[in-house]
Amino acid sequence: MERQCLGWPEKKGMIMMNQDYQEELLHLESCLSVIQENIRLYEAREQASRKEVTALFQAVRKGEGDSYGQLVASQNILEHVQNTLRKNRSALHQPYFGRIVYDDLTYEASECCYIGKNGISKNQTDVIVVDWRAPVANVYYENSLGNGHYAVPGSSDVEIDLHQKRTYDISDGTLHGYYDDDIAANDDLLVKYLSQNKDAVLGDIIATIQKEQNTIIRDLPSKNIIVQGVAGSGKTTVALHRISYLLYNYEDLYKPSEFCIIGSSDMLLHYIRSGLPELDVHHIHEMRMDEIFPYLMEKAWKKQYQIVPDYPEAEIKSHLPFIRALDRFLAELTEEALNLSDITDPDLGVVLSLESMLEAKSYHPEDSLYQFEKHLNERILSRLKFLCTERSSDFKKAKRQAFRKYFDSSVHKWTVPGLYLAFLTELEEQDSSLDFSATKAGVSKGKTDVYDAAAFGLIYRRIFQKQDQDVFSQIFIDEAQDFGETVYYVLKQMLHDCYFTIMGDVSQNIRYETGMNDWEQLKEAMFDSPKDSFYLLLKSYRNTIEISRFAGQVLQRASQGGYQIDPVIRHGQPVSILQAEPSGLFYQLQETLRHVREKKFETIAVICRTPEEAAELKSGLGIPLEEDDNSFHNGVMVLPVSLTKGLEFDCVILWKPDEDHYQDHPKDAKLLYVAITRALHELYLLTDRPLTPLLLTSTGSESVLK
């Protein structure tokens, strides 16, 4: 269907002033009036609530009555009022971005819904703007004109006949135009949004969510999802919008504290954290991958344990065969420790049969050894009580004492590190080509890499765990390709009733030997239900066409042609390759920074190959070395490529992309691909030597400025 444009400038300074446009202006004015009244109302409520919280805080300090309980309740009310006030203030700039007009065939009613980033109500009851997360809002993102339906969590689908889908361009409370379309009509707004400069905050994509992104965001919570998304496809923002959607629509099932985001670095988590409040997401957990296993092991993770960079053997330990071998080792250990057979007594006969014990195992298949031993001991005591019904109290007491802790593996004095070292030694004995000497030496001193920590977690889960882990119900993992399948296999075992949303791009695996270069083994480790889904996001929304084409040549080498970029059509300036003599290269960097700063870019990155180079450049540029390297901020940042994962900048200056820094190998191609695709609008390459061979096929149509 051809797009019908309405209310857009016919020529500069002139607007089509038809009746429909006038009605839209009046509706916007009315809506803004309601929002302004809401703001006045909630500002007054916030002030009153603040006073109440302050008074109750003073009462708690004085120890007056039940003031603590009242304080907690008042703080929750204050937080709700502040959140509602924030939503209305935000809506004052753009109250809505879409409208749908339809007949509700299920409930026999005609409806007109305006859809916005925040749900807005008049008098707390009359909804004037529908929240984008509401079930009916999915019609705007998914449905074509005509008959269709939308899903309602926990209820039947609602059948509709869609008559109109309208997209608005509103900013600063002003209507710039709108148009009607049969499909999700936001291409023009998308390009406009992408062309803006990048602030140091992870932006939302609510007004421009694409259909393939929406499918992931609104998928069921009770399933595992893996998403392969090319650079700039919106993986991180899709994950955060999915969190927001699930918490909104399944608030009876989940609390925010049951959600956890796992990232590869503090900088990535800081960047992610910046985008949560605008999505109405609060009080969820965030942690690095190396922090999750100590967290889940609780007191079993001893204070003296320390996580260190990967040992040389991590290339073996990171992948599925290794961790499954450990699981088999623990299963054999458990079987030997239990040594199940009929338990008999000369006076009582069969106390507990093997059949009964196997039945107990079928009821508790996920029990650790310690948990299962506890169940069996409880069954023994229950059977003794029955078998000794008519016996004397002394006889009963003697039998209870004789069978007390019949199953008790604690007598072996096993430890988590001890069992792990025994396993590594057994592997070496089975295969003379294996040598875990570096790992064993480190573990003996309490120093583990992330894969040893995962192994510790599995040992704790299979042998020592005394209570089931229910701390998290939903885990979201970003930049997942940077870790091998071992960590995911163990997380799945430790959080058996948890569901995972895993986002990544194997073309950006910067830990080539230990990370994932395809998804097959991860799917094998994580997928255990036909409902589980693997999604592809192949369209890139980040880079200009010029940067995307430049990156595409490197991608061929990085992914061996696996996943190719399909860029949004947004043009910019050609990639600039600046060559200088070694003595003049730093001056060229200073001049380039001066040039791009004049363009008023919000975020600029100088990307180096190593942390040492980044530190040296920061010193030369006068950027304090003690400046917080874990926070993403406006201005100029000098970073090693490894810390830029998941981030994006208005302008990127790539420092020395020569063969010494990026060799012609898939490992270095992935690093270079990551560096290039961080740039939103402009990319500069600074070098004093010939470019890496990885770029030789990329430079033919690009400008070379000397």
Side-chain angles (χ1 to χ4, degrees):
M1 175 178 176
E2 185 177 342
R3 176 176 297 172
Q4 184 181 5
C5 297
L6 307 161
W8 294 88
E10 286 186 310
K11 59 183 179 180
K12 192 171 183 179
M14 184 174 177
I15 299 288
M16 292 172 61
M17 301 298 287
N18 55 35
Q19 182 180 350
D20 192 39
Y21 190 82
Q22 290 288 354
E23 290 175 356
E24 290 290 2
L25 287 175
L26 289 173
H27 180 83
L28 177 60
E29 184 179 345
S30 172
C31 188
L32 292 174
S33 177
V34 171
I35 293 170
Q36 287 168 338
E37 180 58 34
N38 285 349
I39 291 172
R40 285 192 289 270
L41 173 67
Y42 282 103
E43 282 177 341
R45 288 185 180 178
E46 182 192 30
Q47 188 175 6
S49 188
R50 279 184 182 277
K51 289 180 179 179
E52 183 178 353
V53 168
T54 301
L56 286 169
F57 181 76
Q58 296 298 329
V60 169
R61 294 185 66 181
K62 295 175 183 178
E64 297 177 2
D66 186 30
S67 49
Y68 179 75
Q70 296 176 41
L71 174 62
V72 172
S74 294
Q75 285 175 326
N76 290 337
I77 292 171
L78 174 60
E79 183 179 0
H80 172 73
V81 169
Q82 289 174 329
N83 197 29
T84 306
L85 180 57
R86 178 191 59 77
K87 289 180 180 180
N88 278 271
R89 284 172 174 165
S90 174
L92 200 57
H93 300 284
Q94 186 195 38
Y96 48 84
F97 55 80
R99 184 180 84 170
I100 51 174
V101 179
Y102 64 95
D103 290 332
D104 187 324
L105 304 180
T106 300
Y107 296 99
E108 299 182 350
S110 296
E111 302 286 355
C112 175
C113 296
Y114 286 82
I115 299 163
K117 177 178 176 179
N118 301 292
I120 301 296
S121 298
K122 180 180 180 181
N123 302 323
Q124 296 183 305
T125 55
D126 184 12
V127 176
I128 61 171
V129 177
V130 174
D131 193 294
W132 72 274
R133 298 168 293 184
V136 70
N138 194 42
V139 173
Y140 174 78
Y141 295 111
E142 293 278 350
N143 291 49
S144 300
L145 299 184
N147 289 340
H149 67 273
Y150 65 89
V152 179
S155 184
S156 301
D157 290 353
V158 177
E159 300 295 328
I160 66 167
D161 182 8
L162 180 62
H163 302 305
Q164 183 190 65
K165 184 189 295 185
R166 176 166 290 179
T167 296
Y168 299 90
D169 182 8
I170 300 174
S171 62
D172 297 324
T174 300
L175 177 63
H176 302 292
Y178 57 90
Y179 53 75
D180 295 342
D181 206 335
D182 184 18
I183 58 173
N186 49 26
D187 294 6
D188 294 336
L189 290 182
L190 175 62
V191 173
K192 182 177 178 180
Y193 168 78
L194 294 174
S195 299
Q196 296 173 353
N197 287 345
K198 175 71 181 177
D199 195 5
V201 174
L202 180 59
D204 63 67
I205 57 171
I206 293 168
T208 56
I209 292 173
Q210 302 299 290
K211 189 170 183 178
E212 69 273 15
Q213 296 171 327
N214 188 60
T215 301
I216 299 168
I217 291 168
R218 295 177 185 262
D219 207 344
L220 296 172
S222 55
K223 63 187 298 186
N224 297 305
I225 291 173
I226 298 174
V227 179
Q228 157 61 39
V230 298
S233 58
K235 297 182 293 296
T236 302
T237 45
V238 166
L240 300 193
H241 284 69
R242 176 165 169 78
I243 292 172
S244 180
Y245 171 80
L246 294 180
L247 288 174
Y248 180 90
N249 285 280
Y250 298 91
E251 60 180 350
D252 294 337
L253 286 179
Y254 301 117
K255 299 175 182 177
S257 59
E258 297 174 35
F259 283 49
C260 181
I261 300 173
I262 299 177
S264 55
S265 70
D266 286 326
M267 181 170 290
L268 177 61
L269 290 174
H270 180 273
Y271 181 59
I272 289 171
R273 194 179 305 123
S274 71
L276 294 175
E278 284 300 309
L279 290 171
D280 198 22
V281 175
H282 310 273
H283 310 305
I284 67 171
H285 291 266
E286 311 138 22
M287 60 185 74
R288 297 189 313 270
M289 184 65 79
D290 60 295
E291 294 175 321
I292 185 70
F293 299 108
Y295 182 87
L296 294 176
M297 289 177 64
E298 299 177 318
K299 292 181 180 179
W301 182 269
K302 306 301 182 184
K303 290 183 179 179
Q304 65 267 29
Y305 295 169
Q306 177 186 358
I307 295 184
V308 298
D310 291 350
Y311 291 116
E313 302 91 347
E315 185 174 353
I316 298 170
K317 297 182 297 183
S318 61
H319 296 301
L320 204 54
F322 175 86
I323 201 64
R324 283 199 159 150
L326 175 59
D327 221 355
R328 289 193 298 271
F329 172 85
L330 297 173
E332 292 169 3
L333 184 75
T334 298
E335 186 175 348
E336 291 173 7
L338 291 172
N339 192 25
L340 297 180
S341 62
D342 288 347
I343 300 173
T344 60
D345 179 83
D347 300 314
L348 301 174
V350 176
V351 176
L352 194 65
S353 68
L354 173 61
E355 182 182 2
S356 178
M357 287 184 274
L358 294 177
E359 179 186 46
K361 184 64 177 173
S362 69
Y363 292 150
H364 307 280
E366 300 301 325
D367 272 4
S368 70
L369 173 59
Y370 277 25
Q371 286 175 309
F372 188 52
E373 287 182 332
K374 182 182 178 182
H375 284 304
L376 291 181
N377 287 334
E378 288 172 350
R379 281 202 169 206
I380 290 172
L381 290 178
S382 178
R383 280 284 293 164
L384 286 175
K385 184 177 181 180
F386 171 75
L387 293 171
C388 297
T389 302
E390 299 181 358
R391 304 284 187 147
S392 68
S393 59
D394 288 342
F395 183 87
K396 294 176 184 178
K397 184 177 180 180
K399 291 303 178 185
R400 281 200 303 271
Q401 186 64 30
F403 285 94
R404 179 178 175 272
K405 289 190 175 181
Y406 184 89
F407 291 99
D408 185 13
S409 292
S410 66
V411 298
H412 298 295
K413 306 295 183 183
W414 288 331
T415 65
V416 171
L419 291 178
Y420 185 49
L421 291 171
F423 165 68
L424 294 177
T425 300
E426 183 175 291
L427 283 186
E428 289 175 324
E429 292 171 351
Q430 293 173 352
D431 186 345
S432 59
S433 67
L434 296 176
D435 179 6
F436 293 101
S437 55
T439 295
K440 290 163 70 175
V443 169
S444 298
K445 298 175 183 177
K447 296 182 177 181
T448 74
D449 64 24
V450 67
Y451 300 107
D452 302 322
F456 275 27
L458 186 63
I459 294 168
Y460 168 73
R461 172 71 184 87
R462 296 294 191 229
I463 305 297
F464 300 103
Q465 184 170 291
K466 294 181 180 179
Q467 291 182 331
D468 289 340
Q469 279 280 7
D470 58 358
V471 60
F472 298 129
S473 55
Q474 293 279 342
I475 295 279
F476 299 81
I477 302 173
D478 198 18
E479 301 297 338
Q481 74 283 342
D482 286 346
F483 297 94
E485 307 88 37
T486 284
V487 296
Y488 305 106
Y489 180 89
V490 175
L491 284 175
K492 179 74 171 169
Q493 306 310 312
M494 296 187 79
L495 298 165
H496 190 263
D497 295 324
C498 182
Y499 294 100
F500 294 80
T501 299
I502 298 173
M503 321 292 285
D505 178 11
V506 291
S507 298
Q508 298 184 63
N509 172 23
I510 63 172
R511 296 169 182 160
Y512 187 76
E513 292 81 10
T514 58
M516 291 181 290
N517 295 304
D518 65 62
W519 297 107
E520 295 311 307
Q521 288 203 319
L522 184 64
K523 286 191 279 188
E524 186 181 332
M526 301 301 293
F527 285 0
D528 53 13
S529 166
K531 293 191 300 182
D532 295 337
S533 297
F534 178 77
Y535 288 107
L536 289 174
L537 292 177
L538 298 178
K539 186 175 284 293
S540 175
Y541 305 97
R542 176 185 297 150
N543 320 117
T544 62
I545 287 288
E546 291 74 16
I547 295 171
S548 286
R549 287 174 178 168
F550 193 80
Q553 300 297 326
V554 181
L555 179 60
Q556 289 281 355
R557 191 79 172 96
S559 66
Q560 285 81 50
Y563 302 105
Q564 297 303 304
I565 298 176
D566 177 17
V568 168
I569 306 300
R570 179 173 70 90
H571 284 282
Q573 77 168 40
V575 175
S576 297
I577 302 169
L578 310 178
Q579 294 182 315
E581 295 297 324
S583 59
L585 190 61
F586 184 73
Y587 172 76
Q588 181 68 73
L589 172 62
Q590 292 175 309
E591 285 298 297
T592 305
L593 283 172
R594 182 188 59 78
H595 171 67
V596 297
R597 278 170 167 156
E598 289 176 351
K599 297 188 176 185
K600 306 299 183 184
F601 287 137
E602 297 283 348
T603 53
I604 302 166
V606 180
I607 300 180
C608 305
R609 176 67 173 80
T610 66
E612 293 76 21
E613 271 192 326
E616 183 180 349
L617 272 189
K618 285 178 73 172
S619 177
L621 292 169
I623 300 174
L625 293 178
E626 64 271 13
E627 187 173 292
D628 185 8
D629 284 334
N630 293 324
S631 64
F632 184 76
H633 55 78
N634 282 357
V636 177
M637 299 186 71
V638 182
L639 299 167
V641 62
S642 59
L643 281 185
T644 66
K645 294 299 297 299
L647 310 180
E648 57 189 22
F649 305 86
D650 291 326
C651 174
V652 165
I653 301 171
L654 184 52
W655 181 255
K656 293 186 177 181
D658 54 51
E659 189 168 12
D660 284 349
H661 290 79
Y662 300 94
Q663 297 178 11
D664 189 5
H665 184 277
K667 176 181 179 179
D668 282 4
K670 291 173 186 286
L671 286 166
L672 187 58
Y673 173 68
V674 168
I676 291 171
T677 55
R678 299 311 94 194
L680 284 163
H681 308 304
E682 294 187 8
L683 174 65
Y684 297 81
L685 279 62
L686 268 62
T687 181
D688 55 4
R689 300 188 57 194
L691 293 174
T692 167
L694 295 168
L695 291 173
L696 292 183
T697 54
S698 304
T699 58
S701 61
E702 309 301 336
S703 72
V704 180
L705 307 180
K706 297 187 180 180

